[in-house]
Amino acid sequence: METEEIVNRVATSGIVSFDLEELFHPGERVIYDLKDNLYMGMILREKDFREFLKANDWSQYTGKNVAIICSEDAIVPTWAYMLLAIQLQPYANEVVFGDLNALEDKLFADAIDKIDAEEFRGKKVVIKGCSKLPVPISAYVEITNLLKPVAQSLMFGEPCSTVPLYKKPKV
């Protein structure tokens, strides 16, 4: 009985697998809530806030990813968020206005901006769908926007089981 050689068609297909999980920034994610700086839980007083900014040890945010929010329905002037960002920026890896979801969106968007799309020109690309780390849907949209103009085709899933998304029309 003759045995047939098993051929790995996935390996010979020329499919490139792209794992968004590899773009996950390992830094700690924290929220800075301006509610702690409010006078009587209602307003932010400039003099008190500026004194706090000078006295606080901002180095505790070194290497962290910070989302700035105000969880109270309060009067917070725009400049307060800007002053806070100025204090955090020398220490934090990333500072955003918004919740942890907005922070994650920004971290992934920054990482995707660093990708050279030309590396994927004319290639069949599978965007991996399963990951152990949280990858926001916005990252899938961003990578699609980046790769569609250059890739031969885009798929979602695993190389052995994909959902076709886009195939460049033949000219």
Side-chain angles (χ1 to χ4, degrees), residues 34-100:
L34 269 166
K35 76 174 170 89
D36 299 330
N37 299 106
L38 298 176
Y39 175 72
M40 296 178 60
M42 296 171 44
I43 63 169
L44 187 81
R45 296 196 319 192
E46 182 178 359
K47 182 180 178 191
D48 294 344
F49 187 57
R50 286 186 181 273
E51 287 174 9
F52 166 77
L53 292 174
K54 285 180 188 173
N56 193 48
D57 177 15
W58 297 103
S59 67
Q60 65 184 306
Y61 294 96
T62 300
K64 295 181 182 179
N65 299 295
V66 184
I68 302 171
I69 65 166
C70 183
S71 62
E72 293 291 326
D73 186 18
I75 301 167
V76 179
T78 303
W79 53 258
Y81 296 101
M82 296 166 73
L83 283 173
L84 190 53
I86 288 168
Q87 295 302 315
L88 289 165
Q89 190 272 332
Y91 302 101
N93 173 63
E94 186 69 64
V95 179
V96 301
F97 172 76
D99 60 13
L100 291 175

Side-chain angles (χ1 to χ4, degrees), residues 5 10 18 69 80 100 134 138 152 154 162 169 171:
E5 184 180 337
V10 172
F18 188 93
I69 65 166
L100 291 175
S138 64
Q152 166 74 33
L154 289 177
T162 63
V171 183

Side-chain angles (χ1 to χ4, degrees), residues 108-156:
F108 272 92
D110 287 351
I112 290 169
D113 282 346
K114 294 176 184 169
I115 295 171
D116 180 8
E118 286 302 314
E119 293 178 25
F120 299 92
R121 182 163 296 284
K123 299 203 173 152
K124 299 172 186 171
V125 183
V126 175
I127 308 300
K128 280 190 70 178
C130 297
S131 59
K132 295 177 184 106
L133 300 172
V135 176
I137 292 173
S138 64
Y140 289 96
V141 172
E142 290 292 322
I143 198 67
T144 301
N145 289 337
L146 178 72
L147 297 181
K148 181 187 172 278
V150 296
Q152 166 74 33
S153 64
L154 289 177
M155 297 161 275
F156 175 80

